[in-house]
Structure formats: C-alpha cells, structure tokens
Amino acid sequence: LELKPMSIEVPVTFVADIQAVQFVEIRAKVEGYVDQIFVDEGQFVKKGQNLFQLSSMEFLEMVNSANAKLAQAKAEAQAAQVEVDRLRILVEKDIIAPSELELARSKRSVAQSGIAEAEAMLKNAKTGLSYTTIKAPFDGIVDRIPHKKGSLVTQGDLLTNITDISEVFAYFKVTENEYLRYM
C-alpha cells in the first residue's frame, strides 16, 4: 500500500446575518384615516409609486383657506398701493402733509408682509396635503401592512416597510484566527 498526497476540502460553516442593501420604515407624517391601500404585502414597487392614501379633506380645506387668505392679502396690498399713489400726487401738489404719505407707505409695507405670511401658510398647507399620499422612497418589496383601509393612523405610526434586496450583505461572525487564515 502506497500513500499518495492529495487535497481534501474540509467544509466549514459560519453563522451569518443577511441584510438588505436598504430597509426603510414607512410611517405616517400626519394623522388621518387610511382611505386607500394601493399595494399588497410582498409586492414589488417602484420609486415614487403610491402606497397609501390617507384622508385629506381637512388638508384640502386648509389649502383652500390659505388660498383665500393669500387673495385677501394681495387685494389689501393693491389697495395700499393705490392709496400711496393717490397721496403722492396730493403731496406733490402741497395739498396734504408728507407724513400722510409716509403713513400710507407703512400700511403698504404691512400689507406686503401679509402677502409673504399668506404665501407661507399656503406652502405649509400644501405640504400637509402632500403628506396624505405616501409614496415609495425607492424600488423594493412591501413588507407586512398592519393597518387596513379605514384604520385611524396617527403621526409616526408604522404603515409598512420597504426592502431593497437587489443586493444583500452577509455579516459573518468569525474569530480573528479564522479570518487571518482565510485572508
């Protein structure tokens, strides 16, 4: 019997934690009832695809109210400008004192700041309205959906998770000696 050298592979097993390249919790930014659910658990979704629609009537009313306040502020600013123009002519003809014109200019400045305030309120109302439509932040797979249609969700409630498994990372727990031996 003759001994011959040969290579033998010894299988080694390791415990690994496998994680997706992206995993994001999808939470409600505003309170409302779940009006529609556009996806199902386990479904693949594209970035920007609608996932949920929360009740938006009160946010629509806030946008309408902000639009009305903006229109009112613009009308007040226009009226203040007309008053400044009218008083300027009277001051130029020495019919009234210049202090009247300065007062009208101050009122015009207040009216113009009212426009800026109304525009900010409108932008804020539109932002709140946009939070009622929840969209996918990236391509991925929908996880469990704990709230069903008609459920009341509050700000911060978990609606689902989106996971991108186009790439996964495996985290192995090995000793330093094993690591050095394979490197």
Side-chain angles (χ1 to χ4, degrees):
L1 192 43
E2 185 179 332
L3 294 176
K4 295 180 184 175
M6 64 179 359
S7 297
I8 299 176
E9 291 184 29
V10 179
V12 179
T13 57
F14 296 99
V15 175
D17 181 23
I18 298 176
Q19 294 184 4
V21 68
Q22 264 188 312
F23 175 83
V24 173
E25 293 178 337
I26 307 297
R27 295 186 177 272
K29 285 189 173 185
V30 293
E31 181 175 304
Y33 290 97
V34 178
D35 274 351
Q36 289 186 329
I37 301 173
F38 299 109
V39 293
D40 201 3
E41 295 174 357
Q43 180 179 339
F44 181 81
V45 293
K46 292 281 195 187
K47 178 179 181 175
Q49 182 177 339
N50 288 351
L51 302 175
F52 302 93
Q53 178 66 51
L54 302 182
S55 55
S56 59
M57 188 55 74
E58 66 188 83
F59 292 100
L60 281 170
E61 290 304 319
M62 290 168 78
V63 168
N64 291 338
S65 175
N67 271 323
K69 286 182 180 176
L70 178 59
Q72 178 184 356
K74 285 181 177 179
E76 288 172 359
Q78 186 174 1
Q81 181 62 47
V82 167
E83 183 68 8
V84 166
D85 294 342
R86 184 182 71 81
L87 292 177
R88 184 182 308 119
I89 293 169
L90 295 176
V91 168
E92 289 170 358
K93 294 182 179 183
D94 288 330
I95 297 175
I96 62 168
S99 61
E100 293 291 325
L101 179 58
E102 287 307 311
L103 181 62
R105 285 181 175 151
S106 295
K107 288 180 180 178
R108 178 184 63 188
S109 294
V110 168
Q112 288 171 339
S113 68
I115 291 174
E117 181 183 6
E119 285 173 342
M121 288 176 59
L122 177 59
K123 184 178 179 183
N124 190 35
K126 285 181 176 179
T127 299
L129 178 61
S130 73
Y131 291 158
T132 62
T133 302
I134 294 96
K135 298 177 180 282
F138 54 84
D139 295 356
I141 296 174
V142 177
D143 197 2
R144 190 173 157 270
I145 300 174
H147 297 285
K148 303 303 176 202
K149 188 174 176 180
S151 299
L152 175 65
V153 293
T154 59
Q155 183 178 357
D157 280 357
L158 179 68
L159 297 172
T160 191
N161 297 304
I162 302 288
T163 308
D164 177 3
I165 58 170
S166 61
E167 281 185 73
V168 293
F169 297 103
Y171 295 96
F172 293 92
K173 295 181 181 177
V174 295
T175 66
E176 186 176 353
N177 286 338
E178 290 170 325
Y179 173 75
L180 292 173
R181 188 171 64 222
Y182 286 106
M183 292 308 289

